[in-house]
Amino acid sequence: MRLLKKNVYFFIPIFFLLFSISIVSCKSDLFCDEVIFTLPDITNLPEKIELTSWKIQIICGDTIKEISLTPDVCSFSIEKSFLSPVYPTAIIAYPETNCQNWKEQFFFPCGAIFPYSTDLSWKEGFSADILKKYYFACSNTENSSQDVLTYAAHFNWCKFSKTLPDNPWLLDTDLILNGIFCGEFSSSYLKPKGIQNVKLDTIKNILNLWDFIIVPQYYPLLCKDIGEIIIPLKTDSYCTFIIIENECKFCTAFLDDTKKLTLELNPIPI
């Protein structure tokens, strides 16, 4: 009994010290009404493509919220009352751009899954998109909202995000979602299959262009130095790029199972 009392006296000063630190720092999340999320860098855009805004989606089960942000922000806040500390919430940020007066969401989104992360990244945009698709697909089933949330909470989203390849948008989304639904998900689903790296000279020869910039939908692949560009393409799947020469054009690529590459240029919609 004396030993217990002695330990209690020892921990009381430590408790008050930690308590005072938590009051000073809002990062403890103890007394804050909002959670701060950070956006990744997107400053390497070519001259003819301008970031005009961010569209943020917050999805948890059948609850959806959208907000718009100006292009100059690097973080944003969401009311804590809207976020669940238990059930995973998809935080998805779509960069909205302007290219020759064509204003659309060309790039794949960045994202995060709360409460596991508050730093949005381009790679985790895929994870958040998968969670969003899971919630949307469950809305057409007979499962209760609570069952859907509970099932999502038991999936290891942290490990999922850490296991993603450099370009997760080359993965088979349907295969991944079916694996999650059926409880048969395997890490092998996160290994891209049927991928061919296309060299720059191949693209030049097909398009008969020699001085241009390729803008992929996955922002981390964007590189202004055309000499360093290698385009990964998925077999039997269409892929879209923006080609910037004197003007911007859409480039649709298709790689068949014989590794024959077809490229088609079309003007940007007005």
Side-chain angles (χ1 to χ4, degrees), residues 248-252 264-269:
C248 298
K249 292 184 178 181
F250 274 130
C251 180
T252 303
E264 182 179 345
L265 283 179
N266 291 292
I268 296 287

Side-chain angles (χ1 to χ4, degrees), residues 13-82:
I14 296 179
F15 169 78
F16 279 108
L17 175 62
L18 294 175
F19 184 74
S20 357
I21 293 174
S22 69
I23 293 178
V24 174
S25 176
C26 215
K27 291 183 180 179
S28 67
D29 264 356
L30 193 58
F31 301 102
C32 297
D33 294 327
E34 298 177 328
V35 177
I36 305 298
F37 294 87
T38 59
L39 291 164
D41 176 73
I42 187 170
T43 58
N44 193 38
L45 291 174
E47 291 183 5
K48 294 188 178 183
I49 298 181
E50 174 192 10
L51 178 66
T52 58
S53 61
W54 289 95
K55 179 182 178 182
I56 313 296
Q57 288 186 343
I58 306 104
I59 305 105
C60 185
D62 54 6
T63 304
I64 303 173
K65 181 178 181 179
E66 292 187 354
I67 56 177
S68 294
L69 303 173
T70 56
D72 56 330
V73 300
C74 58
S75 64
F76 60 96
S77 61
I78 300 175
E79 294 178 7
K80 188 182 289 184
S81 59
F82 193 84

